[in-house]
Every structure is written in structure tokens, then in C-alpha cells.
Amino acid sequence: MPRRLLAATESPVVTIRNAAATAKITVTKLRGNVSVLEGSGGNIAVLIGGDGKLLVDAGIPGTRPRITEALAGLSNDPVKHLINTHWHFDHTDGNEWLHSIGAEITAHENTRKHLSETTRVEDWNFTFPPAPPGALPTKVLTGDETLHVNGTTLALKCYPPAHTDSDISLEFTDADILHVTDTFWNGYYPFIDYSTGGSIDGMIHAAEANVARVTDKTIVIPGHGPIGNKSQLTEFRDMLVAVREKVAALKKQGKSRDEVVTAKPTANYDAKWGGFVINGEFFTKLVYKGAG
Ligand SMILES: [Zn+2]
């Protein structure tokens, strides 16, 4: 994936969708019949068992053959349940095909809302048309909910607006695994979607809440990046707070967005966090929008 997507004329949405066609899928077994598929958009968690497979997020359809193969390698159970952690394309583009093979789709009510209508994401330079009817969630969450599937307990919690206004976390309580979706990009600057309710302060609150919920034994599934733990979650939280502070201080001096970018407030962080879709300049602009 190109490092400096902002410099490219193509929307990152198009780049990521195209990359999915040739993406490899990596399967990692975690604990308690929970695995993760990495490589097609956001990380996909899979819980296998007699009630049918439960998937957390749907990936991108270009990878369907490799996702199908990976799922078959885990068990023979059909896919029966799909939960979207938020409305973004790299977590929901696969909804339609997964629904067509029998998955019931559950999501935050705002995921259904954004997928139902034309949605412009300015910072991606992309306008999403309404999703096809088969891709829409059939069960919506208006608050926290606990599910009992495949002999285990899943706790779904709605975040206050953070990365978007439709983010939910999912805890496999028996296995002590917490899926925190795009409120955590393990090792990368995150995207923050201001067009649908996201903000840097919301991201920091979510990161604080995530850190408070886990122990050193908890397996943490991020929206993007490798499987993580409490110390990585804490490091991510600290990075968000530090960059926000630097950008807010410059903004307070009356500096424009471009002047703040030129001052390179992320210079000490770019080597560690800037290696994926969001580089230091892009992240500075996202933080500037909400800091102050
Ligand atoms: Zn996202």
C-alpha cells in the first residue's frame, strides 16, 4: 500500500478495495474457539461452534475466495451471524455476500443509518452510495447487549462517538478477548471520521475506556494491525494524548492547519506510527480538526 495516500489522486477507499483483490489472508487462532483473519480490510474475528460461525466484521469482497477458504479451514459450521463493529467500508463491504450465504447482520443503529444513505467522507475524498438491501443490518443495537452463542457469552457495548458514531466493542468474556475495532490501530496512526461523528477527543476517551477494561492477560483485537495487549493499547492511548497536546498548543498560538503541519508535531512518532494508511501529515490534520 502506498505510504503517502494523501499525495495520490486516488481515494484511499479505491486503493484499499483494489488491494483486497490480491490480499493474502492470515489466520490466527486465539483462545476459546476464537480466531482472527487478517488481510481484508479490518481484522475479522471468527467464533466457531454448533450455532454456526459468528463473524465480527466482513472484510472486502475482492478477498471472498481466500476468506471462504480460511473459514472452511476453521470448521464446517455455516456462517450464521455477522456483527459490524462500525459502518466503514473496510468492515462492511462483505456484508452482502455473507448475508447471501445465510448470515444475519447485527450492528449499531448508526451503522444501518449510514449504510442506508449516501454518505460523504471528506477526508477520504469519497462518496459512498447507499448499500444494497442485502448488506443492511437486520438487527440494530440501541444500547449494550449480551449474546449467548456457541456456548459462550459475548458482550456488545456501544462507544460514545469516537472513531465514528457507530463504534461497538465486543468482548468474548469466557476467553477474555476484547475486540475494540477502529478505536485502536495497533502500531499505526488511526483514521478519525469527523464526517460521521468521530473526533480526537472521542478517540482518547475510547482509548481510556479500553485500557481500563483490560488486564495483562486480555487479548486485544484492534481494527487494524496485529493482535495486541494492554501495554500496546496504553502506548496507543499515550500517543493520541501526546499528539493532541502538541497540536492543541500550536493551534492555540493561532497557527493555521498548514502551519501546524509544517511544524511537524508528530516528528518523534512518525517512525513508529506512520507506516500505514495515515502518515504524520494526515494524522496532524485529523487531530487539528478536533483539538483546541
Ligand atoms: Zn473505520
Side-chain angles (χ1 to χ4, degrees):
M1 202 170 294
R3 259 189 83 130
R4 295 189 171 271
L5 287 171
L6 259 202
T9 48
E10 185 177 82
S11 164
V13 175
V14 176
T15 311
I16 290 168
R17 280 179 169 163
N18 289 342
T22 51
K24 265 185 61 186
I25 294 293
T26 313
V27 182
T28 311
K29 290 191 180 177
L30 302 178
R31 276 201 289 250
N33 290 331
V34 180
S35 302
V36 168
L37 274 46
E38 293 170 67
S40 180
N43 291 327
I44 300 173
V46 184
L47 171 71
I48 59 169
D51 300 329
K53 286 193 183 80
L54 178 142
L55 268 60
V56 183
D57 284 340
I60 295 177
T63 327
R64 176 175 175 173
R66 265 101 52 220
I67 291 177
T68 303
E69 197 185 347
L71 290 173
L74 290 173
S75 74
N76 295 323
D77 318 312
V79 179
K80 289 285 192 191
H81 317 271
L82 168 62
I83 298 171
N84 293 142
T85 60
H86 61 295
W87 78 273
H88 280 158
F89 76 101
D90 48 333
H91 304 255
T92 60
D93 268 8
N95 279 15
E96 192 181 27
W97 81 263
L98 286 164
H99 178 72
S100 78
I101 63 164
E104 181 189 51
I105 308 172
T106 302
H108 191 290
E109 60 176 342
N110 287 337
T111 291
R112 185 178 163 89
K113 176 171 173 271
H114 298 311
L115 291 179
S116 304
E117 54 196 33
T118 300
T119 307
R120 169 87 186 156
V121 177
E122 208 51 56
D123 290 313
W124 279 339
N125 187 28
F126 201 84
T127 302
F128 295 87
L136 296 180
T138 45
K139 267 185 66 184
V140 294
L141 290 179
T142 52
D144 300 346
E145 205 169 300
T146 303
L147 307 177
H148 300 281
V149 188
N150 291 331
T152 194
T153 304
L154 302 183
L156 280 62
K157 258 179 172 326
C158 301
Y159 288 99
H163 168 72
T164 69
D165 61 6
S166 61
D167 312 319
I168 61 173
S169 65
L170 204 142
E171 187 183 0
F172 299 88
T173 47
D174 304 305
D176 192 10
I177 297 171
L178 182 63
H179 192 319
V180 295
T181 187
D182 281 4
T183 67
F184 178 35
W185 292 36
N186 192 8
Y188 306 120
Y189 291 133
F191 182 62
I192 304 172
D193 185 359
Y194 287 81
S195 68
T196 57
S199 69
I200 179 63
D201 288 351
M203 284 292 283
I204 290 171
H205 288 140
E208 300 281 7
N210 290 338
V211 170
R213 280 181 74 182
V214 300
T215 71
D216 291 337
K217 295 198 176 87
T218 309
I219 295 174
V220 183
I221 305 177
H224 299 275
I227 304 307
N229 57 32
K230 182 170 188 171
S231 78
Q232 291 162 329
L233 204 50
T234 306
E235 230 183 319
F236 178 78
R237 189 266 324 264
D238 293 346
M239 178 277 292
L240 294 181
V241 171
V243 172
R244 188 206 180 281
E245 249 168 48
K246 281 176 190 287
V247 171
L250 293 164
K251 198 173 172 181
K252 217 172 162 189
Q253 293 167 18
K255 291 202 191 317
S256 70
R257 189 187 74 164
D258 290 348
E259 285 166 345
V260 173
V261 167
T262 306
K264 296 196 184 304
T266 62
N268 294 338
Y269 299 90
D270 290 351
K272 173 161 173 50
W273 303 94
F276 188 43
V277 193
I278 314 292
N279 62 21
E281 178 182 331
F282 194 168
F283 188 58
T284 300
K285 289 177 178 172
L286 292 172
V287 175
Y288 184 90
K289 218 176 251 205

